[in-house]
Amino acid sequence: MGAPKKSLVLLAVTLIAGLAIAVDKEPEEVIEAINKHRSSKLAEARTAQKPVDFNALNREIREMALEGVKGVDPSKIAPEKGYAWAQLYEMAEMPKEVCDAAKVYLTTNPAPAAKFDAQIKMATACNTLKEIDAVIELIAKMSPSNTNQARTLASQTAYVFSESIAGAVGAEKAIAALHSVKKNVMAAEFSAQPADVAAKQNIAQMFAEKEADLLITLKRKSDAIKVLEEGITAVTAIGEDKGGLTRRLASKKTQINMVGTSAPALTSERGYGEFPGLEGLKGKVVLIDFFAHWCGPCKAAFPSMVEMYKDLKSKGLEIVGFTTYYGYYGTERNISKDDEFAKMKDFMAEHKMTWPVVYGERSNFENYGVTGIPHVALLDKDGNVSHIKIGYSEAGMKELRKKIEQLLAD
């Protein structure tokens, strides 16, 4: 009697940089092998007490996924396996195939939660492919079935999809997409548990803040303020605001109202370098950088700022770093203000900060609507706030430099 037939036949094993992957395994088995490899590498790093080289690990995972999908035609996969293949294609960084596999899976009429998972993968892949019309159509149809899915769709729409939509077809369509998604997300089932209440409040805050940002790009300042006020009302209507979300929305109002008006004075206690006050800097373009010694994104922005200062100071740019006391530095805790201030000298040298750094009370942060750092306020030659930028990205720094150069040319 011959050997029993198996549902899959192992044809070959390919070695990739020491990684063994069976070419014709089912997608779930390849995913399991990849997850085991990831877990093994993380465990090895913990045992050796060494940092994980995530770049190398991600390359290995991609290589394993690429080998796993080798020779597979997405149009011929079994529909019920479509989601697993979509996961594998995602690991292989093949967005078109992710779309194709997820689309095949959706023909099986999956349960609501599984349907959502496939749709969000499709939308993310379509966004990568810049197929914006498909993104708009997909996210408008998505109905989250639980809190996690509602949070995922809200954050992806607010922070990723709306940006792509605005860039491709304009802010008006991005706002329309936000509205359609918001309707579906807020209709999801949220329990009365504190975590669900907080999630729903956070979602309301995200939508309000993003819509306000888009309205500002359309020069609809009064509408943006109204949306933020409605957001504050929505957050408080959901429950007690324990996460400071209404304060964040109120700070956003402060930022919007500030643009085009005279910059609030900075009250300084002491600092490094010469700072004559904002009045003394009129006639210059001034970049105020609210930062902290512990802030990673702040540090990431410093090289671009160093380059800007070197290139543009002679043309009229001034940078002022503004910070306050946190009671610690590095691993040292409960240090005095004097000791913390003293450590800033070496911090500035390490990051090549040759501009003045000023220490002052937190009220200065509040006056500028600072809720997260790095927070940059850009002032024109008349001392008016021209632009506010929060957070760090390479693209954001390039855009900031363009704005500075425009103000210098005026």
Side-chain angles (χ1 to χ4, degrees):
M1 193 174 196
K5 291 183 178 179
K6 295 183 178 180
S7 59
L8 78 98
V9 179
L10 182 62
L11 295 180
V13 173
T14 301
L15 295 175
I16 310 172
L19 308 173
I21 280 292
V23 174
D24 286 349
K25 277 194 173 183
E26 295 281 2
E28 296 89 347
E29 294 181 11
V30 180
I31 292 170
E32 183 180 2
I34 289 172
N35 288 337
K36 285 182 177 178
H37 177 72
R38 180 191 289 113
S39 297
S40 173
K41 288 292 184 181
L42 295 175
E44 285 177 13
R46 281 195 301 270
T47 301
Q49 296 184 337
K50 292 182 178 179
V52 178
D53 185 345
F54 283 104
N55 288 331
L57 179 56
N58 289 336
R59 284 194 298 271
E60 291 173 2
I61 287 170
R62 182 169 184 261
E63 289 171 352
M64 294 173 75
L66 283 168
E67 193 62 30
V69 300
K70 197 174 191 179
V72 176
D73 183 345
S75 68
K76 296 180 181 179
I77 62 176
E80 66 275 11
K81 300 285 186 182
Y83 184 71
W85 282 115
Q87 289 178 289
L88 202 50
Y89 281 124
E90 189 174 59
M91 293 177 184
E93 299 176 18
M94 299 171 67
K96 183 182 184 306
E97 288 75 10
V98 172
C99 283
D100 293 341
K103 190 172 184 179
V104 168
Y105 175 70
L106 289 170
T107 64
T108 66
N109 193 29
K115 180 179 179 181
F116 177 92
D117 289 341
Q119 287 174 320
I120 198 73
K121 283 204 182 300
M122 275 189 74
T124 302
C126 287
N127 188 69
T128 300
L129 294 167
K130 303 188 185 305
E131 296 176 357
I132 301 303
D133 288 341
V135 172
I136 294 172
E137 183 180 353
L138 269 167
I139 61 178
K141 293 178 180 178
M142 295 173 66
S143 298
S145 57
N146 56 53
T147 303
N148 285 338
Q149 289 186 342
R151 187 189 293 111
T152 296
L153 180 56
S155 61
Q156 283 291 94
T157 301
Y159 299 132
V160 180
F161 300 146
S162 65
E163 288 290 317
S164 298
I165 295 168
V169 293
E172 292 281 8
K173 288 197 175 181
I175 291 170
L178 273 179
H179 287 175
S180 66
V181 171
K182 179 181 175 181
K183 181 180 177 181
N184 291 341
V185 165
M186 298 308 276
E189 290 188 18
F190 293 87
S191 74
Q193 294 298 314
D196 275 19
V197 171
K200 192 171 185 179
Q201 289 175 316
N202 186 243
I203 288 168
Q205 172 263 320
M206 277 193 287
F207 279 123
E209 198 166 288
K210 176 48 66 174
E211 184 173 353
D213 285 341
L214 292 167
L215 287 165
I216 288 299
T217 67
L218 295 169
K219 303 187 184 306
R220 292 166 56 184
K221 181 175 178 177
S222 60
D223 288 338
I225 295 295
K226 182 180 177 183
V227 164
L228 292 170
E229 290 171 345
E230 290 171 348
I232 291 171
T233 300
V235 169
T236 53
I238 293 166
E240 182 184 356
D241 177 22
K242 297 179 180 180
L245 300 176
T246 53
R247 183 174 67 86
R248 175 166 173 159
L249 291 171
S251 293
K252 187 74 174 178
K253 282 177 58 181
T254 298
Q255 295 166 21
I256 291 172
N257 282 322
M258 181 181 295
V259 173
T261 67
S262 181
L266 290 174
T267 55
S268 61
E269 177 189 312
R270 54 181 165 176
Y272 290 92
E274 184 179 348
F275 174 58
L278 295 182
E279 280 293 322
L281 292 175
K282 282 190 175 179
K284 304 280 190 179
V285 172
V286 181
L287 186 156
I288 306 172
D289 176 37
F290 292 91
F291 77 100
H293 58 72
W294 48 261
C295 170
C298 300
K299 297 173 189 177
F302 288 147
S304 295
M305 291 172 61
V306 167
E307 184 178 0
M308 278 196 296
Y309 199 52
K310 178 183 176 183
D311 294 346
L312 304 178
K313 178 174 171 56
S314 62
K315 298 179 181 179
L317 171 67
E318 292 294 341
I319 296 178
V320 179
F322 199 95
T323 190
T324 191
Y325 304 100
Y326 295 94
Y328 72 94
Y329 189 94
T331 59
E332 297 182 50
R333 295 294 184 265
N334 302 315
I335 64 175
S336 69
K337 287 184 177 182
D338 287 344
D339 286 344
E340 187 173 347
F341 177 78
K343 291 181 181 297
M344 181 54 64
K345 184 176 181 180
D346 288 340
F347 181 91
M348 292 174 65
E350 178 186 352
H351 296 286
K352 299 180 174 60
M353 300 162 67
T354 56
W355 52 86
V357 168
V358 179
Y359 276 76
E361 296 299 322
R362 282 181 169 76
S363 58
N364 291 279
F365 287 70
E366 294 167 5
N367 292 339
Y368 277 82
V370 179
T371 55
I373 51 176
H375 176 116
V376 165
L378 183 60
L379 280 52
D380 64 21
K381 295 175 184 177
D382 295 323
N384 296 321
V385 178
S386 173
H387 178 67
I388 300 282
K389 187 187 81 66
I390 301 166
Y392 166 76
S393 70
E394 288 186 19
M397 292 305 292
K398 288 178 181 177
E399 184 62 28
L400 178 63
R401 177 162 181 153
K402 286 181 182 178
K403 291 182 182 297
I404 290 171
E405 290 173 340
Q406 288 169 359
L407 290 175
L408 289 170
D410 289 344

